[in-house]
Amino acid sequence: MLRRWLKANALLAPTGLWLGFFLIAPLVVVVEFSFATRHTGVARAVLPWTVQAYRTALDPAFLPIFGRTLLYAGATTAACLLLGFPLAWFIARYGGRYRTALLAAVLIPFWSSYLARIYAWKALLDGEGLVNTVLGWVGLDRDGGFLLTHGAVVLGLTYGFLPFMVLPLYVACERFDVRLMEASYDLGHGRVSTFFRVVLPGVMSGVLAGSLLVLVPAAGDFVTPKLLGGVEQSTFGSVIDDQFRGGNNWPLGSAMAVLLLVLVVFVLVVRGRRGEDVL
């Protein structure tokens, strides 16, 4: 029994060391910095221990930014779900021999830099960009383009994280038994009733998994709000970035990062165990 336990732990040791070094250790450092005191010298966070950073992070002045972050993350998740579900269903049910090619097409954007793609959207949404020019042909153009707007940020986030929604939905749709739909039709249910009573519950694991994979990184993203938005579109992630770089306030940035982590853990707990088979 002891030999079996030692053998099992020996096999898990490399994974444990990897997680400890690259996940636990940086997290401990961030938590430690969050209780430190701000310093302007080489050491950006020093003793004595204090909770001042958390008091500042929880100040009501930051509540609009926190709410905006949740709003952007929720809107991005909803948009990815509305766009990703039909695409995943089509690939799973009608892709045939082209499934691999279609899935590769979904993943192609990952082959290039995320930063470069967001800069491309910045050029497209500029006042003289392609989007504003085309809309100008029908009189729907906007002075100054669509940059520095809430819609631009949500559009950029949706574009960046859409594949994270499509892939788990594709797995769930592929596993779904189409005969359940036929049985629902035979029992007199229409398309809408069948979708909400049969299809949606049948692929709910993929919906939950995809929503989690989109919501969490969208809430922490800071590149897209900085490039496609402005001061009025600041998010918790962009404020954290400002504190570590321009603001030179590592304790406050660390405290905000810890609070964002707590939010993510809360989402994981609320999600429960459904969707684990897809993830």
Side-chain angles (χ1 to χ4, degrees):
M1 185 69 178
L2 178 61
R3 182 180 301 178
R4 184 181 303 174
W5 183 85
L6 292 174
K7 183 178 180 180
N9 282 272
L11 294 175
L12 293 175
T15 303
L17 291 175
W18 178 275
L19 292 176
F21 187 77
F22 290 103
L23 179 64
I24 304 300
L27 180 59
V28 170
V29 173
V30 170
V31 174
E32 181 183 6
F33 278 1
S34 69
F35 289 102
T37 302
R38 181 183 182 185
H39 192 263
T40 57
V42 177
R44 307 299 175 86
V46 296
L47 295 177
W49 301 113
T50 177
V51 294
Q52 182 58 42
Y54 286 96
R55 291 175 181 169
T56 305
L58 294 174
D59 189 275
F62 286 105
L63 288 180
I65 298 177
F66 189 75
R68 190 182 306 124
T69 301
L70 296 180
L71 182 62
Y72 284 162
T76 300
T77 303
C80 287
L81 180 59
L82 292 175
L83 295 174
F85 185 86
L87 178 59
W89 183 267
F90 176 81
I91 295 175
R93 294 302 162 196
Y94 306 104
R97 67 179 68 178
Y98 301 106
R99 286 183 183 179
T100 303
L102 292 172
L103 289 175
V106 172
L107 295 174
I108 281 178
F110 283 135
W111 298 356
S112 61
S113 169
Y114 179 74
L115 185 61
R117 287 183 278 136
I118 297 302
Y119 267 112
W121 272 110
K122 186 174 182 179
L124 289 172
L125 298 175
D126 189 62
E128 299 179 357
L130 179 63
V131 174
N132 207 38
T133 301
V134 172
L135 291 177
W137 297 343
V138 293
L140 297 177
D141 57 325
R142 186 175 184 269
D143 292 338
F146 293 89
L147 286 177
L148 309 182
T149 64
H150 301 299
V153 176
V154 174
L155 175 63
L157 291 172
T158 301
Y159 167 78
F161 297 117
L162 182 60
F164 291 111
M165 179 68 76
V166 173
L167 295 181
L169 279 174
Y170 166 77
V171 174
C173 292
E174 189 179 35
R175 295 176 180 176
F176 179 74
D177 190 351
V178 185
R179 292 176 297 180
L180 296 176
M181 294 177 58
E182 298 173 354
S184 178
Y185 294 148
D186 292 339
L187 293 174
H189 290 283
R191 292 182 178 273
V192 175
S193 178
T194 298
F195 175 78
F196 285 104
R197 291 174 177 267
V198 179
V199 178
L200 190 58
V203 299
M204 186 55 67
S205 59
V207 172
L208 294 175
S211 298
L212 176 66
L213 291 175
V214 172
L215 181 68
V216 172
D221 186 276
F222 66 92
V223 174
T224 304
K226 273 186 171 294
L227 295 181
L228 301 183
V231 177
E232 296 297 326
Q233 290 77 37
S234 297
T235 62
F236 226 54
S238 59
V239 174
I240 292 172
D241 178 61
D242 290 337
Q243 299 307 317
F244 275 101
R245 295 200 298 176
N248 196 28
N249 193 344
W250 287 24
L252 179 56
S254 299
M256 289 183 167
V258 172
L259 291 176
L260 191 60
L261 177 63
V262 170
L263 173 64
V264 171
V265 172
F266 175 77
V267 172
L268 289 172
V269 172
V270 171
R271 178 185 67 94
R273 301 183 61 85
R274 299 190 66 180
E276 290 183 353
D277 54 337
V278 177
L279 284 172

